[in-house]
Amino acid sequence: MGTRKKVHAFVRVKPTDDFAHEMIRYGDDNKTIDIHLKKDIRRGVVNNQQTDWSFKLDGVLHDASQDLVYEKVAKDVVSQALDGYNGTIMCYGQTGAGKTYTMTGATENYKHRGILPRALQQVFRMIEERPTYAITVRVSYLEIYNENLFDLLSTLPYVGPSVTPMTIVENSQGVFIKGLSVHLTSQEEDAFSLLFEGETNRIIASHTMNKNSSRSHCIFTIYLEAHSRTLSEEKYITSKINLVDLAGSERLGKSGSEGRVLKEATYINKSLSFLEQAIIALGDQKRDHIPFRQCKLTHSLKDSLGGNCNMVLVTNIYGEAAQLEETLSSLRFASRMKLVTTEPAINEKYDAERMVKNLEKELALLKQELAIHDSLTNRTFVTYDPMDEIQIAEINSQVRRYLEGTLDEIDIINLRQIKEVFNQFRVVLSQQEQEVESTLRRKYTLIDKNDFAAISAVQKAGLVDVDGHLVGEPEGQSFGLGVAPFSNKPGKKAKSKKTSKEPLSSSAKKEGASSPVSAKDLDMVSTSKTQLVPSSKDGDVKDMLLRDRETSSIEPPLSDSPKEELRPIRSDTPPSKPVAFEEFKNERGSEINRIFKENKSILNERRKRASETTQHINAIKREIDVTKEALNFQKSLREKQGEYENKGLMIIDEEEFLLILKLKDLKKQYRSEYQDLRDLRAEIQYCQRLVDQCRHRLLMEFDIWYNESFVIPEDIQMALKPGGSIQPGMVSTNRIVSLGEDDQDKFSQLQQRVLPEGHDSISFYNAKVKTEQKHNYLKTMMGLQQAHRK
């Protein structure tokens, strides 16, 4: 079980112009709120009336934005829900104090959305950050109205109204509502659509305290289930987040409720009274019985109130003196809620199907081990447990000693040990390959054996003589030139011939350098593709190579075969990519290069026009400022000299009148030029995207062409030609029709540019628009049906 923790309680004060500063004060720690009342002098001299209260809470949210409220109240609860902890967030307070605004927010404005839509958004954002888990999200929306249960999502076409009334059921798993529809949501927009659908079905009414007063308690529940994508993982976690928007308590004398609204207020106050009784009982450690079954609200929240969950209460209050009595009552409820303790724990479950598969695999493995155990003899000790790190390290040591020759054989114990031995062989081999490769790269520079220009540069550098023999240095700083054939495996010492004319130095022998070979030996090794040159003179050799390639062009020897003479000759030394890129743009990539240049020229022209328009706008703005100053001067001069009126109309001189007309024309011109500038910026953004696409396409086509022309071997190149056995999957340039975006890309760009909140708000507004379109369609159809009946 988890550790017990207190319920967190916050207070949010509704902004008002008539705030009672003398009666309500906040502590410096932003967690204390003090209430002060003046004594009623009508009670006489002896007056024991309490005038001061102080409430210590987890936070006072005064003039707090929706972002700050969610950060303080709900972010941690939602984050822990994806780790398997249940969570409950409840809004309580007087009617009209801002509970629904705190929980749901203004659905018309993305910036003013409340805790509920932000929690949905955070859930899907965190799911994207956990690719190793398959997380499913389901939601339900329950309404408790006049002690009756209703499904706010029953209006969906695939749900429909329930025949049997919904009931609250308890079992070993907790409390759930029988008959309440639960909806699977795979993306953020679907979850918002369900939220907006439920919001349109809530029951509200108007009275003197609140124009849109919620007349019911609503519970929006998010169900999470996370499975590991590892097939062997049989555990999975479940959790749920209850977001409770309670109806507001109200005094009938102040609200002026009558008729149906009066009946609703009676049920609301009654259920809130039972909720307070349950909270008092939970806060009393001596109480054994908690009255959860007194009303539907407390019964449905039984596992949330003091149960296995992280619970947070947000108490909404007024800051006006006229509502101070209701404010005190709400703060008392928040203080009692802080006395309640919960015991959150991770909800872990086991997947029965995965458990069976894992047990079957384990059983098969044990049978194999027992079979080997029975077939072996003289085995006194056999273990069937998985190997630990110490045993694996011992096997690694045995493998290394076996390879070095200090150990004759490795004892076989069981199947797991055999598999681990082969695994350690692979590990040791990989380490040796890396060591050999790093040593060679540190000592030598690789040169293509068929690169005659490179060999000529090495000869000019004095590393090899004209006969192909290595030139050594007797001072102990000698170097070696050798061939590393592919047949030699890493980790083995290659046997090579030693020449008497070029002996190796002692330092080269210690480093394991290969013996020098003659030019005749170089030709005989057909499998070799590289030559090794010491890294001590890398800079000089590379400079020689570059100079030699620029000044010399050595043609490879022609073959004696008549068929080989008919084949196109391809240079063994591919050109540098900058040179090849220029050739590609003039030949195969000429069409896409032309499109790229045209788009770039259009982009530069639009940028030039935008710059000129900006300069013109700035000039108009400066002229407007000068005209305004002159007009203000004329007005002040007219006021000093005296103003003239004729039949109630102010008379101004001709100069001031001309300034007014000029200012009007300048503003009109400014607006026109600014609109043109906005259009130009949109065109620049569109052209920039086209240029980027063309550039990407050009580089991609060049890489394919370069690989096919210079990198692919000749035998494969012949197969790729027309009539060969392999057909290249290339897109010819004459099929390039357009590189622009489709309509969906344009619409997505338009959304990101127009919506002030950017990409994150797209799902929110899309769901809002779809819900409004659906309800407008239903209203239109109902109106047509009624008109048809008449």
Side-chain angles (χ1 to χ4, degrees):
M1 298 294 291
T3 58
R4 301 191 68 85
K5 58 187 297 186
K6 295 286 186 179
V7 173
H8 292 284
F10 295 85
V11 173
R12 189 178 191 185
V13 185
K14 183 177 181 179
T16 178
D17 295 332
D18 191 17
F19 187 81
H21 295 279
E22 300 83 8
M23 300 180 179
I24 303 176
R25 295 182 180 178
Y26 308 117
D28 296 333
D29 57 353
N30 207 25
K31 294 183 178 180
T32 306
I33 181 169
D34 299 325
I35 308 296
H36 173 72
L37 282 177
K38 295 181 180 180
K39 286 191 175 182
D40 191 359
I41 58 176
R42 294 175 298 179
R43 295 190 177 186
V45 178
V46 180
N47 188 352
N48 296 324
Q49 177 187 2
Q50 184 176 354
T51 58
D52 295 290
W53 292 266
S54 181
F55 300 93
K56 180 73 173 180
L57 303 168
D58 293 290
V60 177
L61 305 173
H62 179 62
D63 290 338
S65 63
Q66 294 284 66
D67 292 335
L68 180 60
V69 171
Y70 184 80
E71 188 79 18
K72 294 285 187 181
V73 173
K75 187 175 182 179
D76 292 339
V77 176
V78 177
S79 177
Q80 293 183 24
L82 269 79
D83 296 329
Y85 293 93
N86 294 335
T88 299
I89 302 173
M90 182 186 298
C91 287
Y92 174 90
Q94 181 186 2
T95 181
K99 298 181 299 300
T100 302
Y101 180 78
T102 299
M103 180 57 67
T104 308
T107 56
E108 296 80 13
N109 193 319
Y110 176 79
K111 183 179 180 180
H112 296 156
R113 67 196 190 284
I115 293 175
L116 209 162
R118 291 174 188 268
L120 288 173
Q121 191 175 51
Q122 182 184 352
V123 165
F124 285 98
R125 292 291 187 273
M126 294 183 67
I127 289 175
E128 294 176 356
E129 298 172 358
R130 303 188 181 194
T132 58
Y133 286 89
I135 304 177
T136 57
V137 182
R138 294 178 175 85
V139 299
S140 65
Y141 211 172
L142 173 67
E143 182 183 49
I144 304 176
Y145 173 70
N146 290 349
E147 281 301 293
N148 292 316
L149 303 178
F150 296 95
D151 186 3
L152 289 176
L153 300 179
S154 62
T155 56
L156 294 173
Y158 56 88
V159 179
S162 178
V163 179
T164 59
M166 291 190 295
T167 56
I168 302 175
V169 180
E170 295 185 45
N171 56 18
S172 58
Q173 302 295 329
V175 179
F176 68 96
I177 310 299
K178 184 178 180 180
L180 180 64
S181 63
V182 180
H183 305 264
L184 177 66
T185 58
S186 58
Q187 54 186 357
E188 184 178 339
E189 184 175 332
D190 296 338
F192 283 142
S193 298
L194 294 173
L195 169 63
F196 296 146
E197 178 71 21
E199 286 297 314
T200 56
N201 297 326
R202 291 186 62 174
I203 298 176
I204 60 175
S206 177
H207 53 72
T208 57
M209 297 293 295
N210 190 3
K211 292 182 180 180
N212 298 311
S213 176
S214 300
R215 312 311 294 168
S216 60
H217 310 296
C218 293
I219 304 174
F220 189 94
T221 306
I222 306 173
Y223 305 90
L224 303 174
E225 187 173 311
H227 292 263
S228 175
R229 297 189 186 274
T230 306
L231 296 178
S232 61
E233 184 65 35
E234 56 196 30
K235 285 185 180 180
Y236 69 96
I237 58 175
T238 61
S239 60
K240 66 177 181 179
I241 308 172
N242 290 322
L243 302 167
V244 186
D245 182 14
L246 298 175
S249 61
E250 59 184 75
R251 293 185 181 273
L252 302 181
K254 289 185 177 181
S255 63
S257 301
E258 296 178 356
R260 180 180 63 85
V261 180
L262 176 61
K263 180 182 177 181
E264 294 168 350
T266 304
Y267 276 107
I268 291 171
N269 291 337
K270 182 179 178 181
S271 61
L272 292 176
S273 177
F274 288 143
L275 174 63
E276 187 169 3
Q277 291 178 19
I279 296 302
I280 293 174
L282 287 169
D284 189 358
Q285 301 295 332
K286 299 179 181 179
R287 290 283 295 269
D288 295 330
H289 172 69
I290 310 298
F292 285 118
R293 294 177 176 268
Q294 287 183 329
C295 66
K296 299 288 181 64
L297 175 63
T298 55
H299 195 188
S300 61
L301 296 175
K302 180 179 178 180
D303 56 350
S304 299
L305 298 172
N308 174 25
C309 72
N310 295 309
M311 187 168 182
V312 179
L313 174 71
V314 181
T315 303
N316 296 84
I317 62 173
Y318 271 108
E320 299 178 358
Q323 311 297 335
L324 204 58
E325 189 173 357
E326 288 78 9
T327 297
L328 281 172
S329 177
S330 299
L331 291 174
R332 291 192 189 100
F333 180 85
S335 298
R336 296 189 185 102
M337 182 63 79
K338 276 189 63 63
L339 300 176
V340 179
T341 58
T342 60
E343 195 170 354
I346 298 178
N347 301 299
E348 287 186 345
K349 296 183 180 179
Y350 290 88
D351 190 345
E353 183 178 357
R354 290 190 180 185
M355 286 182 64
V356 171
K357 290 182 179 180
N358 291 339
L359 291 175
E360 289 175 350
K361 290 180 180 179
E362 186 69 21
L363 181 61
L365 182 61
L366 290 175
K367 288 181 178 180
Q368 293 176 5
E369 289 185 348
L370 288 176
I372 294 179
H373 171 73
D374 294 337
S375 65
L376 297 175
T377 57
N378 297 329
R379 301 296 183 184
T380 59
F381 178 73
V382 178
T383 60
Y384 297 100
D385 296 329
M387 291 187 175
D388 55 16
E389 296 180 357
I390 298 177
Q391 293 173 333
I392 294 174
E394 177 62 26
I395 292 176
N396 184 277
S397 175
Q398 292 179 5
V399 169
R400 291 183 179 274
R401 284 184 288 155
Y402 178 79
L403 293 175
E404 294 171 357
T406 58
L407 183 66
D408 295 334
E409 62 179 7
I410 300 175
D411 294 333
I412 302 301
I413 300 175
N414 54 26
L415 181 62
R416 298 187 185 217
Q417 191 257 358
I418 293 175
K419 291 183 177 180
E420 190 59 39
V421 167
F422 280 102
N423 184 42
Q424 292 304 318
F425 268 112
R426 187 185 298 111
V427 171
V428 172
L429 178 60
S430 176
Q431 292 177 352
Q432 289 183 353
E433 288 178 349
Q434 294 177 1
E435 291 174 359
V436 171
E437 183 179 358
S438 62
T439 302
L440 291 176
R441 290 188 178 277
R442 187 169 58 251
K443 291 180 58 181
Y444 301 105
T445 299
L446 302 181
I447 299 177
D448 190 356
K449 172 178 175 287
N450 297 323
D451 192 348
F452 295 97
I455 295 176
S456 175
V458 173
Q459 292 176 351
K460 291 180 180 180
L463 302 179
V464 177
D465 57 15
V466 293
D467 296 329
H469 297 106
L470 180 69
V471 178
E473 294 182 5
E475 287 81 4
Q477 298 180 354
S478 64
F479 47 84
L481 176 65
V483 177
F486 288 125
S487 60
N488 290 345
K489 295 183 179 179
K492 293 185 178 180
K493 298 180 180 178
K495 296 181 179 180
S496 57
K497 298 179 180 180
K498 297 182 179 179
T499 60
S500 58
K501 294 182 178 180
E502 291 89 19
L504 289 176
S505 66
S506 59
S507 62
K509 291 181 179 180
K510 291 180 180 179
E511 293 176 357
S514 61
S515 300
V517 295
S518 64
K520 183 177 180 181
D521 295 328
L522 289 176
D523 296 334
M524 292 176 62
V525 184
S526 60
T527 57
S528 176
K529 297 295 181 181
T530 58
Q531 289 184 343
L532 305 179
V533 176
S535 59
S536 60
K537 294 187 178 181
D538 282 347
D540 299 336
V541 173
K542 290 178 180 177
D543 294 338
M544 290 288 293
L545 289 175
L546 292 176
R547 289 195 300 268
D548 189 71
R549 287 178 181 177
E550 291 175 357
T551 58
S552 64
S553 59
I554 303 175
E555 296 182 357
L558 299 178
S559 175
D560 296 334
S561 174
K563 293 183 180 179
E564 294 294 334
E565 292 177 359
L566 297 175
R567 293 171 56 184
I569 300 174
R570 185 175 66 170
S571 175
D572 293 331
T573 304
S576 62
K577 283 199 171 184
V579 176
F581 187 61
E582 295 298 327
E583 179 183 353
F584 170 76
K585 288 192 295 183
N586 295 328
E587 296 179 359
R588 185 168 171 176
S590 59
E591 181 65 19
I592 190 172
N593 187 41
R594 181 187 63 81
I595 298 175
F596 173 72
K597 288 183 177 179
E598 290 179 358
N599 290 334
K600 195 169 183 180
S601 63
I602 294 174
L603 176 62
N604 293 332
E605 189 270 335
R606 294 293 189 276
R607 284 178 174 172
K608 183 178 179 181
R609 285 175 51 188
S611 177
E612 294 174 354
T613 305
T614 303
Q615 295 176 1
H616 192 201
I617 289 175
N618 292 333
I620 295 175
K621 183 64 173 61
R622 289 192 294 269
E623 192 172 356
I624 288 175
D625 295 338
V626 172
T627 307
K628 282 184 178 180
E629 292 179 0
L631 186 60
N632 292 332
F633 176 76
Q634 290 293 331
K635 288 182 179 180
S636 62
L637 186 63
R638 172 165 45 85
E639 292 175 356
K640 292 179 180 179
Q641 294 177 355
E643 297 179 346
Y644 299 94
E645 292 185 2
N646 184 12
K647 298 181 180 180
L649 299 177
M650 184 65 62
I651 299 175
I652 60 177
D653 58 5
E654 183 179 359
E655 185 177 357
E656 185 175 355
F657 179 72
L658 292 176
L659 287 174
I660 294 174
L661 293 180
K662 181 180 179 181
L663 182 61
K664 184 177 180 180
D665 293 338
L666 287 173
K667 288 183 177 180
K668 183 178 180 181
Q669 187 178 1
Y670 180 85
R671 286 191 292 268
S672 176
E673 293 286 342
Y674 187 76
Q675 183 63 36
D676 293 342
L677 180 61
R678 292 183 61 182
D679 296 339
L680 281 173
R681 287 176 177 174
E683 292 181 8
I684 289 172
Q685 187 176 7
Y686 178 76
C687 292
Q688 183 65 52
R689 184 176 178 85
L690 286 181
V691 169
D692 293 339
Q693 285 184 345
C694 287
R695 182 184 293 108
H696 176 73
R697 185 65 176 273
L698 186 64
L699 294 175
M700 183 180 65
E701 296 285 350
F702 167 70
D703 288 337
I704 296 174
W705 173 81
Y706 188 84
N707 291 331
E708 289 185 352
S709 301
F710 304 107
V711 179
I712 299 176
E714 291 189 28
D715 54 349
I716 301 178
Q717 185 71 19
M718 292 297 296
L720 288 173
K721 290 185 176 181
S725 58
I726 302 176
Q727 296 296 328
M730 295 293 298
V731 180
S732 58
T733 55
N734 56 5
R735 293 186 180 180
I736 299 175
V737 180
S738 174
L739 297 176
E741 315 98 321
D742 56 9
D743 294 337
Q744 183 63 35
D745 292 336
K746 293 179 181 179
F747 179 73
S748 300
Q749 287 186 0
L750 181 62
Q751 278 187 322
Q752 296 183 20
R753 186 168 62 252
V754 173
L755 293 178
E757 294 83 9
H759 182 269
D760 293 338
S761 63
I762 292 178
S763 299
F764 182 89
Y765 284 117
N766 284 345
K768 182 65 178 176
V769 170
K770 289 180 181 179
T771 305
E772 291 178 352
Q773 289 176 349
K774 174 190 172 184
H775 286 277
N776 291 335
Y777 171 78
L778 293 177
K779 289 180 181 179
T780 304
M781 294 301 296
M782 291 178 62
L784 291 176
Q785 291 177 0
Q786 292 177 358
H788 182 69
R789 291 172 184 175
K790 292 181 180 180

